[in-house]
Amino acid sequence: MRLDKWLWHARFFKSRTLAARYIEKSRCRLDGRIVSKPHATVAPDMVLTFALGPRVRVVRIVALGERRGPAPEARALYDEIDSA
């Protein structure tokens, strides 16, 4: 699945376009390597690191969503990893 689509399904961004723009302009890391293309492929057990607002989010991808569902469904797509 594409990274921009997964970020949208997981409800980190309100639209897929915003997710794609963020990936192009910001430094996201996928399993420790910098990704700048929205079409980067994600899979379960990958670790995604990105800054969102004042926080740096580190999440492990648990599942790939089939749709952009309600918040509890989106929350089931990832596990937070403590950055401390």
Side-chain angles (χ1 to χ4, degrees):
M1 172 179 275
R2 292 173 54 112
L3 177 57
D4 61 339
K5 194 171 182 180
W6 186 87
L7 285 168
W8 178 62
H9 281 217
R11 295 186 159 267
F12 286 109
F13 292 93
K14 288 186 178 186
S15 73
R16 189 169 160 192
T17 304
L18 288 174
R21 286 185 192 152
Y22 176 83
I23 295 164
E24 289 172 348
K25 293 181 180 182
S26 300
R27 298 181 112 181
C28 295
R29 289 183 180 264
L30 197 55
D31 283 341
R33 64 183 167 84
I34 296 174
V35 176
S36 61
K37 301 290 183 184
H39 64 268
T41 303
V42 297
D45 292 328
M46 288 183 146
V47 176
L48 177 63
T49 307
F50 61 102
L52 193 57
R55 292 181 53 194
V56 173
R57 306 290 299 260
V58 181
V59 297
R60 180 176 311 280
I61 298 171
V62 174
L64 305 176
E66 294 182 20
R67 67 186 184 112
R68 181 179 163 98
E73 186 177 310
R75 180 63 182 90
L77 299 179
Y78 63 92
D79 284 332
E80 290 277 345
I81 298 174
D82 292 333
S83 57

